[in-house]
C-alpha cells in the first residue's frame, strides 16, 4: 500500500484509512480482529475511531466500544507502535433515557441538540477517557468531531494546543465543518501560535451533492478550492462509497444516503464511472476508491468502514488500479 503525507507534517500514513466505527457492535470482536489483522498485512497503518462509537447501537450505551476493542487488539499483538491512531471527541450526546425510543432506536434529533461540544474541560476529559479505553498514553490524531459553534473557538483551540504540548496528542483534526470556519481557525492558530489542524475529515465521494443539499459534513466546490490552496490540511474522506450505492441501482433507489447526491450531473457521472470500471475490470465501488486515491488537488485520503471481512476484501482491488490521464479526465469532467 502506498502512503500519503498528512498535511505538511512529514508524517506519512497509509493511502487508505480504516474506520473502526462499527467494531465492537455491528462487527463482533472476532471479525473486527480479522479485518484489522488483514489491513495491517496489506500495509495499512491509519485507524480511525471516536469516543462516541457506537452509543446508538444499544440502549444506555455511552459509546467507547470501538476504542475498547482497538485497545484489546493492540495489546494482544503489542501493536501500538504500528498504528497511526486517530480518535475524536465532541459528538457524544449528554445522557438521557430519551435518547432511545421504546423499541431501542436512537433519537438523532435530540442527540444533535445535546452533543457534548468542544469546551476546554470537555475535551480534556474526553481525551483522558479515550486514552484509558485505548490503553495508550497518546493518540496520533485528535479530531473535533462535530464543529461546536456555541463554544468560542479561542477556548477550543487553546485547549487543543495544551493537549499537544502535554504529549497526549501529536496532531489535530477537524470534522463536519464549514469552509469559513476553517479559515477562522487558521487565522486564530496563526495569531496565537497554536497548532493548525492538519486533517479535515468530511463526507466526500465521486458523486457531487445536489444543489439543495445544505450540510457542513459534505464537501462542496468551495471547500475543495480552499483545500487546494491550503495543502497543509489533508482531506480525509469518510463514506467514500456512500454505503456501497455505486454497485447497486436498487440501493441507490432506496438508501437514504443517496438523497443528498441526486444532482443534475448524477446520471452523467454514474455513466462515466460504469464505463471506466468496465475498462479496468473493477467494480464501481472499487473505482471510486481508486479515483479518490488518484486525486492530487487537493490530495484525498479515503476512509473505509467495512462491516465484515468480506466487505474489506472487496475493497482491496482498488489499491492496484492504475488510471490513465484520459480515464481520469473522463471521470473528472463527467457532467460538467
Amino acid at each position: 500500500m502506498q502512503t500519503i503525507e498528512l498535511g505538511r507534517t512529514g508524517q506519512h500514513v497509509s493511502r487508505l484509512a480504516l474506520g473502526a466505527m462499527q467494531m465492537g457492535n455491528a462487527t463482533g470482536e472476532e471479525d473486527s480482529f480479522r479485518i484489522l489483522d488483514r489491513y495491517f498485512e496489506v500495509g495499512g497503518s491509519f485507524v480511525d475511531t471516536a469516543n462516541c462509537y457506537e452509543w446508538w447501537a444499544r440502549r444506555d450505551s455511552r459509546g467507547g466500544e470501538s476504542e475498547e476493542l482497538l485497545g484489546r487488539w493492540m495489546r494482544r499483538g503489542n501493536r501500538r507502535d504500528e498504528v497511526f491512531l486517530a480518535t475524536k471527541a465532541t459528538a457524544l450526546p449528554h445522557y438521557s433515557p430519551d435518547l432511545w425510543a421504546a423499541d431501542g432506536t436512537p433519537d438523532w434529533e435530540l442527540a444533535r441538540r445535546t452533543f457534548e461540544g468542544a469546551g476546554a474541560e470537555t475535551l480534556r476529559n474526553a481525551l483522558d477517557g479515550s486514552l484509558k479505553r485505548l490503553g495508550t498514553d497518546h493518540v496520533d490524531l485528535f479530531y473535533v468531531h462535530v464543529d461546536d459553534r456555541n463554544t468560542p473557538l479561542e477556548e477550543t483551540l487553546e485547549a487543543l494546543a495544551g493537549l499537544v504540548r502535554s504529549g497526549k496528542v501529536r496532531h489535530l483534526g477537524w470534522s463536519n465543518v464549514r469552509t469559513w470556519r476553517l479559515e477562522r481557525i487558521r487565522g486564530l492558530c496563526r495569531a496565537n501560535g497554536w497548532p493548525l489542524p492538519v486533517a479535515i475529515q468530511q463526507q466526500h465521494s465521486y458523486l457531487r451533492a445536489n444543489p439543495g443539499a445544505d450540510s457542513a459534513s459534505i464537501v462542496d466546490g468551495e471547500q475543495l478550492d480552499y483545500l487546494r490552496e491550503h495543502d497543509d490540511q489533508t482531506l480525509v474522506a469518510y463514506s467514500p462509497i456512500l454505503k456501497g450505492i455505486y454497485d447497486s441501482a436498487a440501493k441507490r433507489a432506496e438508501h437514504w444516503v443517496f438523497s443528498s447526491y441526486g444532482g443534475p450531473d448524477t446520471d452523467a457521472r454514474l455513466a462515466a464511472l460504469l464505463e471506466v470500471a468496465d475498462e479496468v475490470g473493477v467494480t464501481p465501488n472499487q473505482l471510486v476508491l481508486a479515483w479518490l486515491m488518484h486525486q492530487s488537488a487537493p490530495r484525498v485520503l479515503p476512509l473505509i468502514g467495512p462491516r465484515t471481512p468480506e466487505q474489506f476484501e472487496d475493497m482491496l482491488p482498488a489499491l492496484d488500479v492504475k488510471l490513465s490521464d484520459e480515464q481520469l479526465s473522463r471521470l473528472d469532467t463527467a457532467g460538467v
Side-chain angles (χ1 to χ4, degrees):
M1 189 182 300
Q2 295 181 336
T3 62
I4 182 174
E5 184 180 7
L6 192 67
R8 290 299 174 213
T9 63
Q11 171 71 58
H12 284 76
V13 297
S14 55
R15 199 66 182 81
L16 194 64
L18 178 64
M21 182 177 74
Q22 299 182 91
M23 294 183 181
N25 280 300
T27 307
E29 186 152 320
E30 182 179 349
D31 279 351
S32 295
F33 281 18
R34 284 177 60 193
I35 293 169
L36 287 159
D37 288 343
R38 182 74 171 119
Y39 174 66
F40 279 81
E41 181 182 302
V42 300
S45 65
F46 186 170
V47 178
D48 176 278
T49 186
N51 68 332
C52 66
Y53 294 159
E54 289 187 305
W55 69 265
W56 55 90
R58 58 183 176 83
R59 179 180 292 279
D60 295 326
S61 168
R62 299 306 294 140
E65 294 94 342
S66 171
E67 291 179 327
E68 290 170 350
L69 182 143
L70 288 174
R72 291 193 295 273
W73 177 79
M74 289 188 292
R75 288 192 296 274
R76 185 194 67 164
N78 194 26
R79 306 191 74 158
R80 174 64 186 93
D81 291 343
E82 302 175 38
V83 183
F84 184 87
L85 183 60
T87 195
K88 316 179 196 73
T90 75
L92 182 67
H94 296 294
Y95 176 77
S96 166
D98 296 331
L99 283 169
W100 299 267
D103 63 358
T105 56
D107 184 337
W108 285 106
E109 193 278 330
L110 176 61
R112 292 185 181 99
R113 285 193 286 107
T114 60
F115 68 97
E116 62 186 345
E121 192 64 20
T122 298
L123 289 170
R124 288 190 286 265
N125 290 338
L127 177 62
D128 284 344
S130 290
L131 294 177
K132 183 177 180 179
R133 288 185 291 273
L134 290 162
T136 185
D137 62 358
H138 75 282
V139 293
D140 300 291
L141 179 61
F142 187 54
Y143 285 100
V144 170
H145 196 170
V146 175
D147 189 33
D148 175 11
R149 288 161 64 172
N150 293 316
T151 299
L153 266 177
E154 292 86 348
E155 177 183 343
T156 298
L157 289 165
E158 185 174 23
L160 292 171
L163 296 177
V164 174
R165 286 194 305 271
S166 74
K168 294 179 179 180
V169 171
R170 291 180 59 206
H171 304 289
L172 299 172
W174 223 275
S175 187
N176 303 300
V177 60
R178 301 280 186 181
T179 305
W180 67 267
R181 289 278 285 180
L182 290 177
E183 180 61 15
R184 185 166 295 180
I185 289 165
R186 177 177 291 274
L188 287 170
C189 288
R190 183 187 301 117
N192 292 280
W194 294 328
L196 181 74
V198 298
I200 307 302
Q201 188 175 135
Q202 300 283 90
Q203 184 169 307
H204 184 53
S205 189
Y206 175 65
L207 291 182
R208 290 188 278 250
N210 66 55
D214 182 23
S215 172
S217 302
I218 299 175
V219 173
D220 59 12
E222 180 182 36
Q223 195 158 86
L224 287 174
D225 188 53
Y226 181 84
L227 292 170
R228 288 186 195 104
E229 293 296 315
H230 299 95
D231 67 354
D232 52 359
Q233 297 178 312
T234 297
L235 175 57
V236 179
Y238 74 82
S239 294
I241 59 173
L242 301 178
K243 313 299 183 183
I245 65 170
Y246 292 101
D247 282 359
S248 170
K251 186 174 283 189
R252 289 195 294 275
E254 65 187 24
H255 202 291
W256 61 265
V257 75
F258 191 62
S259 63
S260 296
Y261 290 88
D265 64 355
T266 292
D267 288 345
R269 288 182 79 78
L270 284 173
L273 188 73
L274 293 172
E275 182 178 83
V276 176
D278 185 62
E279 291 173 7
V280 299
V282 295
T283 68
N285 281 337
Q286 292 163 353
L287 181 58
V288 168
L289 291 175
W291 177 80
L292 288 168
M293 288 187 282
H294 276 74
Q295 299 305 297
S296 59
R299 292 170 301 138
V300 180
L301 200 167
L303 171 64
I304 59 172
R307 185 177 55 81
T308 67
E310 292 74 23
Q311 287 179 354
F312 177 75
E313 292 294 334
D314 191 54
M315 298 182 196
L316 289 183
L319 296 171
D320 298 321
V321 173
K322 305 299 182 188
L323 297 172
S324 69
D325 289 343
E326 187 275 333
Q327 288 169 329
L328 283 170
S329 177
R330 251 191 295 157
L331 291 168
D332 292 343
T333 60
V336 173

